[in-house]
Amino acid sequence: MLAAVLTVVAACGEPPQVAPTPTGPLLPGPRTPGPATPPPPPTSGVPGTVTPPAGRAVDCAGNPSAEEVLDLLREEALLTSDADVTVADGPRCDEDWQYTLIEVPGLDPLQVVTSGKPGDLELVTAGTDVCTVEVRVRAPDGIRAAASCVG
């Protein structure tokens, strides 16, 4: 019987070798933090326009300024000169389009979509829902996303 067991064991060959256990860390080390300040928005090479990453509108960096958007709303008689308003977001730019969110006490936030270069802005639309046909069809992806017109 012992001879039969030895024959069976011998027929199986050598036992498999166990791979050595790694001695180093299994997870990558800590990440190095990025720069403390965000990089400036990319420009398209055309003065007064910003070309952000696809599908995103970025801070216009003062071109145009929030005050320019408010002045345009006053010119269009959508705000009075003494209106107590706060620019809650923006202007954010994508190409030569801008999105701005304005808070007016006691009212729903006013969304504003403009186009053009600083100093020569045109009002596209303003209201609580700015997802008009023109915005849905003509505005860059970043503006439509900022105004929640996607999906």
Side-chain angles (χ1 to χ4, degrees), residues 18-106:
V18 176
T21 304
T23 58
L26 297 177
L27 298 175
R31 292 181 165 248
T32 304
T37 57
T43 61
S44 65
V46 177
T49 63
V50 174
T51 305
R56 287 192 46 220
V58 296
D59 183 352
C60 296
N63 293 308
S65 68
E67 195 58 41
E68 285 180 79
V69 174
L70 294 175
D71 287 345
L72 177 62
L73 293 174
R74 289 180 186 110
E75 289 171 16
E76 298 287 333
L78 294 175
L79 286 179
T80 61
S81 60
D82 62 343
D84 180 27
V85 299
T86 304
V87 176
D89 185 21
R92 287 200 255 163
C93 290
D94 189 350
E95 298 175 15
D96 64 346
W97 286 68
Q98 303 84 31
Y99 171 83
T100 309
L101 184 65
I102 299 169
E103 291 181 350
V104 181

Side-chain angles (χ1 to χ4, degrees), residues 78-150:
L78 294 175
L79 286 179
T80 61
S81 60
D82 62 343
D84 180 27
V85 299
T86 304
V87 176
D89 185 21
R92 287 200 255 163
C93 290
D94 189 350
E95 298 175 15
D96 64 346
W97 286 68
Q98 303 84 31
Y99 171 83
T100 309
L101 184 65
I102 299 169
E103 291 181 350
V104 181
L107 300 175
D108 288 333
L110 179 65
Q111 297 181 71
V112 181
V113 176
T114 54
S115 67
K117 294 176 178 44
D120 191 26
L121 295 182
E122 293 182 21
L123 180 64
V124 176
T125 188
T128 56
D129 179 8
V130 293
C131 299
T132 63
V133 171
E134 183 175 15
V135 170
R136 289 182 182 275
V137 172
R138 292 189 49 230
D141 292 343
I143 299 300
R144 290 196 317 267
S148 301
C149 297
V150 292

